[in-house]
Amino acid sequence: MMMIKAEIEPSSNGAKPPRGHVHEHVLRYMRRGLMVGAFLPGQVMSLRKLAAGFGTSPMPVREVLSRLVAANALEETKGGSVRVPRLSPDKLSDLFAVREVLEGMATELAAKKAQPGLIEELTAINKELLTAIEERHILNCLSFNQQFHFTLYEAAASEVLMPLIESLWLQFGPTMYMSLLIPSMPWNASDHGEILAALKENNAAAAKKGIVHDIRTTCKALLSVAGPQGLELPFTHGPELQFDY
């Protein structure tokens, strides 16, 4: 189970934060946890533990979980609990095929608008990612990978693409932890290097090609270990992951 790092801060006069503030805090944290991969396929969301971690009552957590179920990021079981879905090979393939289209488009748009500041920022993020890969720091690998992708896509400045891309990451994000466990296809961020080189050369087509290859490689790795019922870790409980939202 993911570890909640920080409780919601009280207001300056010691009163509890407004209900809306609590709800948005929980929603941001849960969304980031799913997109980064801090929650795992098949993991059941414990209302009690989440509420205790956030230092709040169960009600805002329950409301957030319901919203995420409606967004197809979580699913409700027959017993009434809420869990992270296990993606079947077909669902996984569909998600990644759509990722290629949308994220390829966002990358191409971003590349056409790329300024030196964007390239510097992406280079710094990728350097942190490479360090995390070398040190086998799982959470940093997941976090910096997501940060690299979203920094690139946000540079496209598309109000239409980003919500669609986020909805995809909410659904497939929990599989990213598993992609780190496949010894035959270790992470090396080589495609990120190709993307950075393309951005420096103002080559939008090459940048798009790099992101599509990155997505396709990850999909291939995940499908190589997926069973008929979908992706599932060989242990019951996920790692104790904590992160800043």
Side-chain angles (χ1 to χ4, degrees), residues 183-203:
S184 61
M185 298 182 181
W187 277 29
N188 57 22
S190 59
D191 286 316
H192 290 190
E194 296 294 329
I195 293 164
L196 288 170
L199 292 175
K200 292 174 184 176
E201 296 170 1
N202 296 315
N203 190 333

Side-chain angles (χ1 to χ4, degrees), residues 36-95:
V36 167
F39 297 118
L40 309 178
Q43 181 173 334
V44 175
M45 299 289 103
S46 170
L47 190 64
R48 179 182 60 79
K49 289 183 179 179
L50 287 171
F54 286 115
T56 185
S57 68
M59 183 171 291
V61 178
R62 184 181 293 110
E63 291 175 352
V64 166
L65 294 182
S66 295
R67 285 185 61 175
L68 292 171
V69 168
N72 297 316
L74 297 174
E75 65 181 5
E76 193 169 355
T77 68
K78 293 180 179 179
S81 61
V82 175
R83 70 183 178 192
V84 181
R86 296 185 179 95
L87 298 180
S88 69
D90 286 345
K91 179 69 174 291
L92 189 70
S93 296
D94 283 348
L95 283 169

